Amino acid sequence: MLLISACTGDLSAPATALPSAPPTLTLTLAPPTATHLPDPPTETPAPTATNTPIPSVTPTPPITTILFTGAIVPGRCVQAAIDAQDNADFLYDDVRELISSADIAVGTLNAALTDFSPYTGCVKTFVLVGSPNNADALANAGFDVMSVATNHIKNCNLSTCGDQAFWDTMDNLERVGIVPVGAGNNLQEAMQPIVIEKNGIRFGFVSLGE
């Protein structure tokens, strides 16, 4: 701000009576009025990366289902029905979905599967012999393992069979991809477990009978 003040002589005085000093012009500079300026904007610091560990989630292992059955006896009247229909698969029509849905299905076979011996027909007898296509029906039903440590596994309807019905049964199961357990060339082999791996887990099976 600029302030101006003037000091002059007495105007009523004669012209010759000049003031002893010329008029004085005084300039006074007032200090500038302080103006408040807005504060500069405050910057929010950018977030910095941290080493905070992210908790890991342990995946839930899959559930493995194992199914076991009681004795399967495709002999006598059962074999007679198979012969009449020329079809062994029908035996498992009502349970095929249940058996095949298991990760591992284990059956118990209590009959010989061979065509070396004639079948008995639907009569009461302890000779339990079924046709080889019973092995195919077991595989189609979803069985993976078959216990053969049973008391009728070496049945035969001929006095000359020897062990032929037994070895035919082993061959027929293996032919369709079913693993027999509880039998072998000797006791040591028969006692050996078979191992099946499912969902990263190994399962061992043994079969014993008396």
Side-chain angles (χ1 to χ4, degrees):
M1 180 182 293
L2 178 64
L3 300 179
I4 301 176
S5 63
C7 181
T8 60
D10 186 358
L11 296 180
S12 62
T16 56
L18 296 174
S20 57
T24 302
L25 181 63
T26 302
L27 298 178
T28 303
L29 294 176
T33 303
T35 304
H36 179 73
L37 298 177
D39 296 330
T42 302
E43 294 184 1
T44 303
T48 58
T50 63
N51 293 325
T52 303
I54 299 175
S56 59
V57 178
T58 302
T60 302
I63 295 176
T64 301
T65 57
I66 304 178
L67 177 143
F68 296 87
T69 75
I72 300 170
V73 188
R76 296 180 299 202
C77 296
V78 176
Q79 182 60 47
I82 292 172
D83 292 338
Q85 297 196 28
D86 192 24
N87 174 24
D89 288 314
F90 85 93
L91 298 176
Y92 307 97
D93 285 346
D94 293 335
V95 292
R96 183 176 294 105
E97 183 177 354
L98 175 65
I99 297 171
S100 60
S101 65
D103 292 305
I104 305 174
V106 183
T108 303
L109 180 63
N110 200 20
L113 305 182
T114 179
D115 56 6
F116 184 77
S117 169
Y119 312 126
T120 64
C122 190
V123 297
K124 186 176 181 179
T125 174
F126 285 109
V127 176
L128 305 177
V129 183
S131 56
N133 64 347
N134 279 285
D136 300 86
L138 290 169
N140 294 337
F143 283 103
D144 305 290
V145 180
M146 195 60 58
S147 167
V148 292
T150 53
N151 60 323
H152 292 292
I153 197 66
K154 295 179 70 173
N155 277 180
C156 183
N157 202 17
L158 296 174
S159 60
T160 58
C161 280
D163 290 336
Q164 185 64 48
F166 168 74
W167 292 117
D168 285 351
T169 303
M170 300 300 103
D171 291 343
N172 281 310
L173 292 174
E174 293 173 353
R175 173 179 60 81
V176 297
I178 296 177
V179 182
V181 57
N185 288 295
N186 50 54
L187 180 61
Q188 183 178 3
E189 287 186 10
M191 294 285 288
Q192 291 299 310
I194 60 101
V195 178
I196 295 180
E197 182 173 338
K198 286 290 182 180
N199 299 321
I201 302 174
R202 298 172 73 238
F203 297 90
F205 299 90
V206 295
S207 177
L208 307 174
E210 182 180 3

